[in-house]
Amino acid sequence: MRYYLLDRITEMRPPELARGVKAVALSEDYFADHFPRYPTMPGALLIESLAQLSGVLLEKSAEKVHGSQIQAVLSTIERAKFRVLVRPGDVLLLEARVTQLREEGGKVTAKASVGERVAASAELLFAFFELKD
């Protein structure tokens, strides 16, 4: 099973910032069990949506700054906070900002908002792996 939790990247400014959007639909299969009669997007998937945007930002940043083709792999989640329940019909506004970029990895601060309300935030650390094929 593969989840695409990033519908569109709306802004990309490596090595600084990326913004994106995820429209949360009742047809998402995880709503069947989370939770019956009160569907709520799981916190782990909120973090995954932020990680997907952050990974693309870091890959583009490494290419621009270091000239390297890498795969960014999430390695650590720090200071994750969940503040608002995300429900079907909500539109998540995603934002990732690079706080550290090295040849071996990078770090971002990321947040997901519904309107003006921050639904989730975290610091995400990624390890870089060189693409050889």
Side-chain angles (χ1 to χ4, degrees), residues 97-113:
R97 292 183 181 271
V98 175
T99 57
Q100 190 175 78
L101 182 65
R102 298 186 177 168
E103 288 191 31
E104 65 275 1
K107 182 177 182 179
V108 301
T109 57
K111 69 178 179 177
S113 302

Side-chain angles (χ1 to χ4, degrees), residues 7 28 38 57 69 97 107 118 122-123 132:
D7 292 336
E28 312 264 4
Y38 197 80
L57 173 60
Q69 296 285 325
R97 292 183 181 271
K107 182 177 182 179
V118 175
E123 292 180 3
K132 297 190 186 229

Side-chain angles (χ1 to χ4, degrees), residues 53-67:
L53 177 64
S54 299
V56 173
L57 173 60
L58 287 172
E59 289 170 4
K60 298 293 184 192
S61 297
E63 183 176 0
K64 183 174 184 176
V65 173
H66 302 295

Side-chain angles (χ1 to χ4, degrees), residues 14-33:
E16 300 164 13
L17 164 81
R19 290 190 174 106
V21 174
K22 167 64 178 154
V24 181
L26 184 58
S27 62
E28 312 264 4
D29 61 351
Y30 50 81
F31 283 133
D33 299 311

Side-chain angles (χ1 to χ4, degrees), residues 5-18:
L5 297 169
L6 177 62
D7 292 336
R8 182 180 52 225
I9 295 174
T10 58
E11 185 176 358
M12 179 65 66
R13 289 187 288 154
E16 300 164 13
L17 164 81

Side-chain angles (χ1 to χ4, degrees), residues 68-71 128-133:
S68 55
Q69 296 285 325
I70 53 93
Q71 177 75 48
F128 293 163
F129 294 93
E130 188 176 344
L131 296 176
K132 297 190 186 229
D133 58 355

